[in-house]
Amino acid sequence: MTDLVEKVEKIVEDLFDANTDKFDLYHTLRVKAIAESLALEERDVDVEVVSLASLLHDIADEKHYGDEKEGVKQVSAILREAGAKPSLIAHVIDIVSNMFFKGAGVQTPMKTIEGKIVQDAERLDSMGAIGIVRCFMEGLSTGREMYNTDYVPQRHVSKEAYNNSKTDSLNHFHEKLYYLKDNMNTLAGKRLAAKRHKFMKKFEQQFRLEWFANDLEPILQKIRAKSPWQDPYFLHYFSLMVAAIKDPVKFEKMNMDEYDISAPEKEKDKNK
């Protein structure tokens, strides 16, 4: 870690500690770790730029300030405070200004290998087990439903459509998370994305089974499909047994016509 990266990391940690409602420090540190790892498999990479852009990428996200320009100003100010050169500042700003997902139909290409690496790292942290948890946590914080069968996945063709869309958290898998695998820039990113993508698919399959209670054991499935307590004939005969147990003598003397075994069929005829 260079002195510049160390200075910026300390500034970012202090900023995030003071704004825990806006920033997730652990997400940022994971993105940095992933990006530095991906950089090892690429040639001619400025790892310092990769590290700095990873540390500062979330500050440039417009959802934290409501204005992308304000976030970029913050990034520039932090780098200047840490003593970064103008050319390095320009490179980092170019990366953090163009890396975020803005809809499945919106292209967000990166100019440099450093940008491609950081973009892959940020997207990878939106996948797999961590990505699933982050998705549902964000949904909870924004009042988004966990799942609603009325929502249909949309392929947003603009940033505005994506930001303003109404959806549920599981549907978000189909509107963003499942698109990430095919939009990776690096070979290392593609490999890791494939693993995390597969995990998310398995999770969704299990989620849907549990949501509709279709993950029951086979015997329970059969019972649920034809419960005796929903069978009118079973209920009719059960009532006879209860009457006999309560007062067997009286039951024996009573006119059995009162306990007509065709009672369920007669009830059906009444309802026609």
Side-chain angles (χ1 to χ4, degrees):
M1 183 186 299
T2 65
D3 290 341
L4 178 59
V5 172
E6 193 171 348
K7 288 180 182 179
V8 170
E9 184 166 325
K10 181 63 170 64
I11 294 172
V12 168
E13 287 178 354
D14 291 343
L15 176 63
F16 284 20
D17 285 344
N19 295 273
T20 53
D21 58 325
K22 284 185 178 181
F23 304 114
D24 181 352
L25 177 61
Y26 296 106
H27 162 67
T28 294
L29 295 178
R30 283 194 305 271
V31 170
K32 177 175 177 287
I34 295 170
E36 290 174 346
S37 179
L38 297 180
L40 296 175
E41 294 196 34
E42 300 294 332
R43 294 181 178 179
D44 302 322
V45 177
D46 189 332
V47 179
E48 185 177 58
V49 170
V50 168
S51 300
L52 292 171
S54 298
L55 287 169
L56 297 166
H57 80 277
D58 237 11
I59 295 174
D61 191 342
E62 63 182 349
K63 70 172 176 273
H64 297 307
Y65 290 102
D67 183 357
E68 187 175 322
K69 293 181 179 179
E70 181 60 32
V72 170
K73 287 181 182 178
Q74 291 283 342
V75 170
S76 180
I78 291 172
L79 288 171
R80 288 198 306 271
E81 179 184 345
K85 296 179 180 179
S87 59
L88 188 150
I89 294 175
H91 192 172
V92 171
I93 287 177
D94 183 65
I95 293 173
V96 299
S97 299
N98 297 288
M99 67 179 299
F100 294 105
F101 185 89
K102 299 176 181 178
V106 183
Q107 297 297 315
T108 52
M110 279 292 178
K111 299 175 184 177
T112 65
I113 185 60
E114 290 82 10
K116 292 176 180 179
I117 289 170
V118 178
Q119 188 177 60
D120 279 5
E122 202 280 331
R123 289 178 174 178
L124 282 165
D125 202 54
S126 295
M127 302 179 71
I130 293 293
I132 290 170
V133 174
R134 290 182 64 210
C135 175
F136 284 101
M137 285 182 64
E138 181 184 356
L140 181 64
S141 68
T142 59
R144 191 167 65 196
E145 291 182 79
M146 185 163 58
Y147 181 48
N148 187 326
T149 56
D150 292 335
Y151 287 124
V152 178
Q154 304 292 322
R155 182 180 173 84
H156 304 106
V157 296
S158 70
K159 182 178 75 172
E160 290 72 27
Y162 173 71
N163 289 340
N164 297 325
S165 68
K166 296 292 184 181
T167 190
D168 60 71
S169 290
L170 192 68
N171 201 38
H172 191 63
F173 283 40
H174 295 269
E175 294 187 348
K176 176 184 178 182
L177 305 189
Y178 288 152
Y179 284 103
L180 300 179
K181 176 177 70 71
D182 295 327
N183 285 280
M184 289 291 150
N185 302 296
T186 65
L187 288 176
K190 291 177 188 293
R191 290 199 308 271
L192 185 53
K195 293 180 182 179
R196 296 191 177 193
H197 182 90
K198 186 176 181 180
F199 180 87
M200 292 190 299
K201 285 284 188 178
K202 287 183 177 180
F203 172 86
E204 184 189 3
Q205 183 181 31
Q206 182 65 24
F207 181 100
R208 291 184 183 278
L209 284 173
E210 293 181 19
W211 184 270
F212 295 105
N214 289 329
D215 65 325
L216 303 177
E217 296 297 327
I219 185 64
L220 294 179
Q221 290 279 22
K222 290 180 180 180
I223 292 173
R224 192 183 71 156
K226 187 62 176 178
S227 170
W229 298 103
Q230 296 175 346
D231 188 325
Y233 288 97
F234 173 84
L235 294 175
H236 180 59
Y237 286 114
F238 184 77
S239 68
L240 296 182
M241 287 188 289
V242 171
I245 292 171
K246 285 183 176 179
D247 194 342
V249 176
K250 180 180 178 181
F251 180 80
E252 186 176 355
K253 292 180 179 180
M254 290 180 68
N255 184 352
M256 286 302 296
D257 288 340
E258 295 181 26
Y259 298 93
D260 188 353
I261 62 172
S262 63
E265 292 296 333
K266 290 182 178 180
E267 284 298 320
K268 289 184 180 179
D269 293 337
K270 288 180 182 180
N271 295 329
K272 286 184 179 179

